[in-house]
Amino acid sequence: MEALLRQSRAMCPFLNKTSPATLRAMSMSTAVTHTAPGGGAMSNLQIIARRCPVMGKALTVQGARHGNPALAGAFGGTRAYHAKVPKARLHTNAPNQAQAVDLPSARREHAPFAPPPSNKPAVSQRQSPAPPPSAATAAPFNYDGFYQNELDKKHKDKSYRYFNNINRLAQDFPRAHLATAEEKVTVWCSNDYLGMGRNPHVLNRMHETLDKYGAGAGGTRNISGHNQHAMDLEGTVAKLHAKEAALVFSSCYVANDATLATLGSKLPNCVILSDSMNHASMIQGIRHSGAKKVVFKHNDVADLEAKLAALPADVPKIIAFESVYSMCGSIGPIEEICDLAEKYSAITFLDEVHAVGMYGPSGAGVAEHLDYETYANGRSTKGTVQDRIDIITGTLGKAYGCVGGYIAGSAKMVDTIRSLAPGFIFTTSLPPATMAGAKTAIEYQMNYQGDRRLQQLHTRAVKESLNEMDIPVIPNPSHIIPVLVGNAEVAKKASDLLLEKHQIYVQAINYPTVPVGQERLRITPTPGHIKDYRDHLCQALESVWNELDIKRTSDWAREGGFIGVGVKDAEAVDPLWTDEQLGLTDFEQDLKAGRGALGALENVLERKRVQVLQAVAAAA
């Protein structure tokens, strides 16, 4: 719409000198003495448009189509005025745009679940065609039939989603119960990566705030939901990422959608370059923006540069990508993308949802972690990777254990989104207790690295065990453990068996979250998954793999390898957290003593667990 308005102003003197506010007011005010094409009153804007030699013709054609003599005017004729408007090219679903249609023909062409055609002979060409059915005789749309048809398709391709009744127990994390309190299970797929949802400091702060300020915020931020809790939280987020400002949303899905939609629609002729594995929230935001979308291959900087080089230098460009891709665990090439953004005058939009709290000395994410020593030693952060990122988005609902999302960046950018984004303006603010709890969680993780270090060590231990058991783990340098199954129905059966037979909850991941044929179990250890839980998990997976005859790593290798599993002569993937950053000097000593990798790691884990328990007890 913005592009169309700019083109129109260049050609039309009236539009060029009239403000958008005036145009909007004229389009909403009516004059009862003039009829509109579909009946009713014409707006004042339509009345003025009739005087234009171009728009007058267009309105005449429109009036003739609808049988409205008031619009037929003096011009007459049958030529319609129309202009071609560039549409956003999206790599997801085809756009569904509302269009004016002839209702009787629409019923004939699109009526679903209609009875089969009769065997009566076709009407002769000399005979007059039968009139379309009237509104009184046409069969009503079968809504329930439509719903059932869509659900049947999901069941048929085995992508229908079943929700398990999982009730996490704050005092017994990572344990939960099912429908009844007696049905205990161990949760191995939570995104509460650090167990902050039960952290005593967070809970105490939330209880205090809830008792004092109540359950809800009272409205949107611009009406009655702006308060000290929102300002304090945004100040803490800005400090976390070393940015000028931050803005909190109800979720990071909303933050991504609102920010990309706003920037993409407001920047003139904007082009958004999107990683092929970006989250649905980013794809949706680009779709809503109407901007042109260019997709580059996952983590492929050469492909990204080729696409950037093909764009005009003066066109605004946004490179949208993630730091940790949650379904495969891969890490984005952040520094290289920053280099390309500077070279081709683009801005960077980095989603750190699965990385905040998990990486870096302060828990700010992968961008901070790439300059670990600089941030750990309090040196100047000017020119660091995190400093070079223009827009960082994150969540409060994963490693921080609460709910909500945010953006961080320059003060002007944040103020622009605050002022223009409907997803922020018209959404009720987060409750005060939630914002107070999130602020406490961020500050806790900024000052304490024990949780994320222990989580990394547990991740290493599980990956090591599964690799030794020939169970196919998709290799990656992050805290995600994707176990490849390769079939939607089998993945669902494996998840069900783990829950019903072994009291372990790991959700199956299938299409559209991952491509068909890449279905998997996604395992996420936490600091609470001690050795007993890990041993139980590995034994259960071994049993399920045998019972369902699921392919192992060696089976994938015989087929030439698949998405990193069983690939011949593949380079080893090193964890993002180095041994030095994790403080594994004891690990090296145990290795030299001949205890083996797993034995040495277990000794370190036990020592770390004791340290964490002592630290929590001291803080409480």
Side-chain angles (χ1 to χ4, degrees):
M1 183 59 71
E2 292 291 331
L4 179 60
L5 186 58
R6 287 194 297 271
Q7 293 173 3
S8 302
R9 283 177 172 169
M11 297 183 291
C12 176
F14 173 73
L15 290 177
N16 190 43
K17 68 180 181 179
T18 307
S19 70
T22 302
L23 291 172
R24 188 180 301 108
M26 294 177 68
S27 70
M28 297 174 69
S29 58
T30 60
V32 295
T33 56
H34 296 81
T35 55
M42 290 181 64
S43 70
N44 291 327
L45 186 60
Q46 285 177 300
I47 296 171
I48 293 177
R50 289 179 62 191
R51 304 170 190 165
C52 172
V54 176
M55 287 303 299
K57 293 181 181 180
L59 290 172
T60 298
V61 173
Q62 189 177 20
R65 284 178 176 173
H66 292 272
N68 192 330
L71 287 180
F75 294 103
T78 58
R79 289 189 64 186
Y81 171 79
H82 56 276
K84 293 182 178 179
V85 180
K87 297 179 180 178
R89 297 178 62 187
L90 303 174
H91 74 291
T92 54
N93 299 330
N96 297 316
Q97 297 176 342
Q99 298 176 353
V101 295
D102 174 66
L103 292 179
S105 64
R107 293 190 187 100
R108 291 194 302 272
E109 295 174 8
H110 302 292
F113 317 108
S118 67
N119 295 324
K120 294 181 180 179
V123 179
S124 167
Q125 292 183 352
R126 295 182 180 179
Q127 294 176 320
S128 299
S134 67
T137 61
F141 187 88
N142 186 349
Y143 294 100
D144 283 340
F146 167 79
Y147 303 145
Q148 189 61 55
N149 185 60
E150 292 300 309
L151 293 172
D152 287 344
K153 288 190 290 185
K154 298 294 289 182
H155 283 289
K156 186 176 181 180
D157 65 13
K158 307 301 180 184
S159 66
Y160 181 81
R161 294 176 182 244
Y162 296 88
F163 292 165
N164 290 298
N165 184 355
I166 305 294
N167 304 277
R168 300 194 314 144
L169 296 167
Q171 300 305 317
D172 198 16
F173 183 80
R175 300 283 280 169
H177 71 75
L178 302 181
T180 65
E182 292 73 28
E183 299 176 281
K184 295 287 186 67
V185 297
T186 304
V187 179
W188 273 98
C189 58
S190 173
N191 284 340
D192 184 1
Y193 296 128
L194 303 178
M196 290 301 292
R198 50 86 52 99
N199 181 280
H201 301 284
V202 174
L203 296 181
N204 289 339
R205 182 70 176 123
M206 292 183 73
H207 282 301
E208 293 169 0
T209 308
L210 180 65
D211 291 339
K212 186 172 183 178
Y213 294 100
T220 61
R221 289 280 288 276
N222 63 305
I223 294 179
S224 59
H226 185 67
N227 50 49
Q228 63 185 14
H229 310 289
M231 292 186 289
D232 290 346
L233 176 57
E234 287 168 351
T236 300
V237 170
K239 181 181 178 182
L240 172 69
H241 292 290
K243 297 297 183 185
E244 291 179 346
L247 191 66
V248 171
F249 292 77
S250 56
S251 73
C252 197
Y253 188 106
V254 176
N256 285 349
D257 183 1
T259 303
L260 286 171
T262 301
L263 292 178
S265 63
K266 296 298 182 182
L267 289 169
N269 303 313
C270 179
V271 177
I272 303 179
L273 299 102
S274 176
D275 188 287
S276 63
M277 289 185 65
N278 272 346
H279 190 263
S281 59
M282 301 165 76
I283 296 171
Q284 190 78 339
I286 299 168
R287 177 189 287 120
H288 286 162
S289 76
K292 181 179 180 181
K293 182 176 188 176
V294 177
V295 181
F296 62 92
K297 298 175 184 176
H298 177 53
N299 283 352
D300 191 330
V301 291
D303 186 49
L304 173 59
E305 180 165 21
K307 289 176 166 60
L308 282 167
L311 297 172
D314 61 343
V315 169
K317 295 171 279 287
I318 302 173
I319 305 173
F321 63 111
E322 300 181 40
S323 59
V324 176
Y325 290 84
S326 63
M327 289 301 126
C328 62
S330 61
I331 302 288
I334 304 175
E335 188 169 9
E336 292 86 344
I337 290 177
C338 286
D339 293 338
L340 292 179
E342 292 169 5
K343 181 177 180 180
Y344 293 98
S345 301
I347 61 174
T348 47
F349 181 100
L350 175 62
D351 180 316
E352 289 259 35
V353 161
H354 289 273
V356 290
M358 304 297 294
Y359 298 91
S362 301
V366 176
E368 182 193 44
H369 199 96
L370 294 175
D371 295 290
Y372 189 96
E373 296 302 323
T374 298
Y375 283 93
N377 296 317
R379 301 171 191 158
S380 171
T381 59
K382 186 69 175 176
T384 60
V385 174
Q386 182 173 240
D387 181 60
R388 296 168 67 191
I389 294 292
D390 296 292
I391 304 169
I392 294 176
T393 71
T395 184
L396 307 170
K398 292 183 171 58
Y400 294 128
C402 295
V403 68
Y406 62 81
I407 63 171
S410 71
K412 289 183 179 178
M413 183 279 297
V414 169
D415 199 21
T416 297
I417 302 303
R418 184 192 67 84
S419 302
L420 300 178
F424 173 80
I425 296 171
F426 299 106
T427 298
T428 298
S429 176
L430 289 172
T434 298
M435 291 192 284
K439 176 179 180 291
T440 302
I442 294 173
E443 292 174 338
Y444 181 89
Q445 289 299 331
M446 287 176 73
N447 294 293
Y448 178 63
Q449 297 185 27
D451 288 336
R452 52 185 170 274
R453 284 179 167 175
L454 192 54
Q455 193 281 335
Q456 288 288 328
L457 293 172
H458 286 175
T459 298
R460 287 193 184 191
V462 174
K463 286 182 177 181
E464 284 276 351
S465 295
L466 296 182
N467 285 331
E468 288 187 0
M469 296 163 56
D470 202 26
I471 290 179
V473 175
I474 300 173
N476 65 70
S478 73
H479 61 282
I480 308 294
I481 306 179
V483 180
L484 178 62
V485 178
N487 179 282
E489 186 175 8
V490 177
K492 175 67 169 57
K493 288 181 179 178
S495 176
D496 290 345
L497 266 178
L498 286 170
L499 186 63
E500 296 163 6
K501 190 173 181 178
H502 302 279
Q503 292 74 53
I504 288 176
Y505 175 53
V506 180
Q507 182 63 36
I509 307 297
N510 56 27
Y511 179 84
T513 308
V514 297
V516 174
Q518 297 185 21
E519 292 82 5
R520 64 199 65 176
L521 302 178
R522 178 181 177 273
I523 295 171
T524 53
T526 72
H529 285 96
I530 58 176
K531 186 177 186 300
D532 291 344
Y533 291 136
R534 295 197 305 276
D535 290 345
H536 181 211
L537 172 71
C538 292
Q539 293 164 5
L541 287 173
E542 177 72 16
S543 172
V544 168
W545 247 247
N546 287 333
E547 185 169 344
L548 298 179
D549 194 24
I550 304 174
K551 286 183 181 179
R552 295 180 179 264
T553 304
S554 54
D555 297 318
W556 291 106
R558 282 190 287 272
E559 296 179 5
F562 184 57
I563 56 173
V565 174
V567 176
K568 185 179 180 181
D569 300 326
E571 294 185 11
V573 179
D574 295 325
L576 191 60
W577 277 90
T578 66
D579 290 353
E580 183 179 1
Q581 291 166 353
L582 290 175
L584 293 182
T585 53
D586 294 334
F587 177 77
E588 296 174 0
Q589 293 172 1
D590 288 338
L591 277 178
K592 292 176 181 178
R595 290 190 172 92
L598 274 178
L601 192 53
E602 290 299 346
N603 286 339
V604 173
L605 287 172
E606 183 58 28
R607 284 191 288 267
K608 291 288 183 184
R609 186 177 74 86
V610 172
Q611 292 173 6
V612 169
L613 291 175
Q614 290 173 344
V616 172

